[in-house]
Structure formats: C-alpha cells, structure tokens
C-alpha cells in the first residue's frame, strides 16, 4: 500500500475510490473496502489525518478509536493499493460539496466511488447521496452507496463503538472492530 500526500503522487489509472475518516476501520468500513477490491480496479481510500470535527467544532471532540498510523496498518491489511491523505484544514473542510468533489476529481481518476448509505460531505454536509449522484453523472463516474452494516439490530459505526468503550462493553466493541476475513471473488 502506498500512502500518498500530494496530488501528483496519485496514480493515473482509473480507480475504485472511497472517502471518509475510517476511525477504527470497523466492520462497516471493511464492507466498503471489500466492495472496492471486488471492482478489480486499483483501490484508493481518501482520508484525513484528523477528523473534520477536530478542525471545525469549538466543542471538545470525541476520542479517536485508532491513531492515523494504526488506521494505515489496518487499511494495508485489506490490501488497499493507495491511501490518499487529504488536507485536514479549515479551508478544505469548508468547501462546498461540489467544489470539494471537483478538487478530488482533478487529481484522482475515479471510475467508481463507493460510500456507505448516509455518507455526506462538504460544507454543512450538503453533499448528500442525491447531490453526489448528480455530480458523478456529470463527471462521468459511477457512485455506489452500500447499505449500512447492522449488528444485533444496530448500525455499526465509530460513534457506536466509542459509546461501547465508554460503557466498558469492550467485548462488543472488539467484535465490531475485528478484521473480517476477506471473501474470495
């Protein structure tokens, strides 16, 4: 896996891409990573060193489940080809969703963008599924929203795992963070 920090380092081949913070690289994230690999294209995970909340919010942000270095190791274990570290700046996080995606598309040759249902980004998280699908159509790539992964009737999320850790429900938290064995094909 290559960790990329500069736009000129991004491969020129069309790729399967996802975007998010991926705190913990939990089972829900792993479902997205598996879908990326199934495309047969080079895979790119676009992420940040720090979450947008740490930059944009004046309130005390929640603790992270994993450090950036741990996240990179977990992503590498899923045989992701490239991790592109996007700038974690107030200016970048404040971009309108259309500008945000245009900047990314100017450097990353996206053929397929895979996200989890409900994922949104850009200023005030206005880049909803409907909006991103419009941009994808105009930019000439496919966007696919995967259903959210459920475990025991509840959505698997970093927020849920943090809550479990706070409640000292460590066995359940560990279950949601375990590395899923890769399925063939």
């Amino acid at each position: 896996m290559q960790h990329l920090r500069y736009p000129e380092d991004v491969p020129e081949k069309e790729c399967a891409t996802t975007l998010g913070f991926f705190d913990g690289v939990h089972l829900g994230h792993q479902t997205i990573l598996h879908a990326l690999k199934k495309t047969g294209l080079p895979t790119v995970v676009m992420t940040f060193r720090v979450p947008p909340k740490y930059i944009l919010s004046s309130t005390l942000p929640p603790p992270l489940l994993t450090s950036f270095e741990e996240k990179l190791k977990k992503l590498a274990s899923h045989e992701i080809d490239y991790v592109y570290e996007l700038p974690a700046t107030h200016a970048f996080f404040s971009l309108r969703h259309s500008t945000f995606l245009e900047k990314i598309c100017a450097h990353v040759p996206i053929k397929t963008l895979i996200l989890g249902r409900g994922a949104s980004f850009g200023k005030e998280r206005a880049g909803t599924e409907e909006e991103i699908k419009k941009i994808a159509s105009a930019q000439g790539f496919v966007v696919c929203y995967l259903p959210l992964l459920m475990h025991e009737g509840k959505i698997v999320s970093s927020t849920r795992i943090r809550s479990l850790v706070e409640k000292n429900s460590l066995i359940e938290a560990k279950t949601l963070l375990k590395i899923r064995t890769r399925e063939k094909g």
Side-chain angles (χ1 to χ4, degrees):
M1 182 186 80
Q2 293 184 37
H3 174 196
L4 311 173
R5 292 184 180 95
Y6 307 102
E8 58 272 14
D9 294 338
V10 175
E12 294 181 20
K13 302 177 219 160
E14 287 186 324
C15 53
T17 306
T18 191
L19 167 68
F21 187 64
F22 289 86
D23 190 19
V25 190
H26 57 65
L27 293 176
H29 296 139
Q30 292 175 44
T31 300
I32 292 170
L33 300 177
H34 177 69
L36 286 177
K37 293 302 289 182
K38 281 182 75 168
T39 67
L41 297 167
T43 54
V44 178
V45 171
M46 293 183 283
T47 192
F48 307 96
R49 188 168 287 272
V50 296
K53 288 178 191 174
Y54 279 39
I55 305 295
L56 298 174
S57 179
S58 59
T59 61
L60 187 63
L64 297 178
L65 297 170
T66 53
S67 69
F68 187 73
E69 291 70 23
E70 290 172 293
K71 177 170 41 176
L72 290 178
K73 287 178 188 173
K74 285 185 168 211
L75 292 170
S77 76
H78 288 278
E79 300 176 7
I80 295 303
D81 298 310
Y82 305 95
V83 172
Y84 182 25
E85 182 182 339
L86 296 169
T89 64
H90 193 276
F92 193 76
F93 291 140
S94 298
L95 292 173
R96 289 182 33 80
H97 63 281
S98 54
T99 307
F100 183 92
L101 203 50
E102 283 172 18
K103 284 187 174 288
I104 289 170
C105 289
H107 301 293
V108 180
I110 301 171
K111 182 170 182 173
T112 304
L113 177 64
I114 300 176
L115 300 167
R117 178 95 41 228
S120 60
F121 50 86
K123 186 176 183 177
E124 297 173 357
R125 302 186 65 84
T128 61
E129 182 172 343
E130 182 180 333
E131 291 295 314
I132 300 311
K133 284 183 175 180
K134 287 180 196 173
I135 294 168
S137 178
Q139 293 280 343
F141 63 88
V142 174
V143 64
C144 176
Y145 282 82
L146 300 180
L148 296 175
L149 183 67
M150 305 294 282
H151 180 264
E152 296 183 357
K154 297 178 186 170
I155 296 170
V156 176
S157 70
S158 300
T159 302
R160 178 178 171 199
I161 295 167
R162 274 189 220 89
S163 175
L164 290 167
V165 170
E166 287 172 9
K167 294 175 188 172
N168 209 23
S169 299
L170 302 181
I171 293 172
E172 187 177 356
K174 186 177 177 180
T175 297
L176 302 180
L177 288 166
K178 73 179 177 186
I179 294 182
R180 181 177 92 172
T181 32
R182 262 192 50 196
E183 301 164 22
K184 301 290 183 198

